[in-house]
Amino acid sequence: HESGRAPLSQGMIETSRTQAERVYDALAPALDAGRDVVVVEPSDIAMFRNEYARLLDDAAYERLAANSYEGMEYVYGLLENGADADALVGGDDVAYHGHCQQRTLDLVGYTEAVLRRVGHDVITSDVECCGMAGSFGYKSEYYELSMDVGADLHEQFAGDDGRGADRRVAASGASCHEQLLALAFEGVPHPIELVAPRRR
């Protein structure tokens, strides 16, 4: 089920509450079995840790928030607890743009740490927003403004100073991914794709 981020961003609180309840109901059996919840999309982990406090009852919110992790945060935890870093892939020069929700939750550092630990050379954007701003940049009336905001990110990764030149550009959020593609970067993998062993 969708986390409820999209309707909440449009003020559709009851729709978002219904989606949050569906997410919790779907995940409760896994939590009962002692499993952790690993989230790839930063907007969703932000929902679980922040907005669900107002959308779910206290017990459900606290249980889900306490047992949910952003993807690279989880990988970092595994490595810190003895997982074999050699099982992951490294070696690329990476220009990484952290999602605004990761910044809000102070999660960007986990991605940087994992990428470096497995041998990637990483520079991280200091641009606050790619310009997409959730669903904002998907609206035709805001497209040009969204691209204007994204110009700072493009300049940082592809500008004359060469800071991001010849690096693989990666992003954690779906909206950032789409914006970076629109800004003429190729591929734009999620950081998890950079460390995942290649399938044969």
Side-chain angles (χ1 to χ4, degrees):
H1 299 286
E2 202 273 323
S3 70
R5 167 66 65 187
L8 187 65
S9 74
Q10 302 301 309
M12 301 167 63
I13 295 172
E14 290 309 313
T15 299
S16 186
R17 187 185 316 281
T18 297
Q19 291 181 342
E21 290 168 349
R22 288 177 178 162
V23 167
Y24 179 75
D25 290 345
L27 293 174
L31 295 172
D32 291 342
R35 293 185 178 272
D36 297 319
V37 175
V38 180
V39 180
V40 176
E41 173 58 44
S43 293
D44 292 339
I45 194 67
M47 286 292 285
F48 291 6
R49 292 187 181 172
N50 292 333
E51 284 75 17
Y52 276 19
R54 291 171 294 284
L55 297 173
L56 298 176
D57 66 66
D58 289 348
Y61 159 69
E62 290 168 7
R63 186 176 188 219
L64 183 57
N67 293 286
S68 296
Y69 303 87
E70 189 267 340
M72 294 297 269
E73 174 191 21
Y74 196 75
V75 173
Y76 176 87
L78 293 174
L79 294 174
E80 287 294 293
N81 286 284
D84 182 9
D86 291 339
L88 302 177
V89 175
D92 288 328
D93 290 340
V94 177
Y96 172 63
H97 179 68
H99 190 279
C100 59
Q101 297 293 351
Q102 285 179 296
R103 294 169 196 251
T104 299
L105 295 171
D106 199 26
L107 297 174
V108 171
Y110 293 113
T111 298
E112 295 169 321
V114 170
L115 291 175
R116 289 187 176 115
R117 186 158 176 182
V118 301
H120 293 289
D121 183 81
V122 183
I123 61 167
T124 302
S125 163
D126 58 17
V127 173
E128 186 175 352
C129 180
C130 69
M132 187 63 83
S135 62
F136 177 86
Y138 288 105
K139 297 176 181 176
S140 59
E141 62 267 34
Y142 301 129
Y143 175 78
E144 292 300 331
L145 177 57
S146 173
M147 294 301 286
D148 286 346
V149 173
D152 289 341
L153 182 57
H154 186 272
E155 179 64 24
Q156 189 169 97
F157 281 170
D160 293 337
D161 66 359
R163 184 166 183 247
D166 301 322
R167 290 176 176 264
R168 292 190 72 184
V169 175
S172 296
S175 56
C176 300
H177 168 85
E178 292 294 324
Q179 183 76 322
L180 285 160
L181 290 176
L183 291 168
F185 294 103
E186 294 184 7
V188 191
H190 190 287
I192 286 178
E193 294 178 279
L194 295 178
V195 302
R198 310 291 191 258
R199 291 189 178 178
R200 297 174 191 240

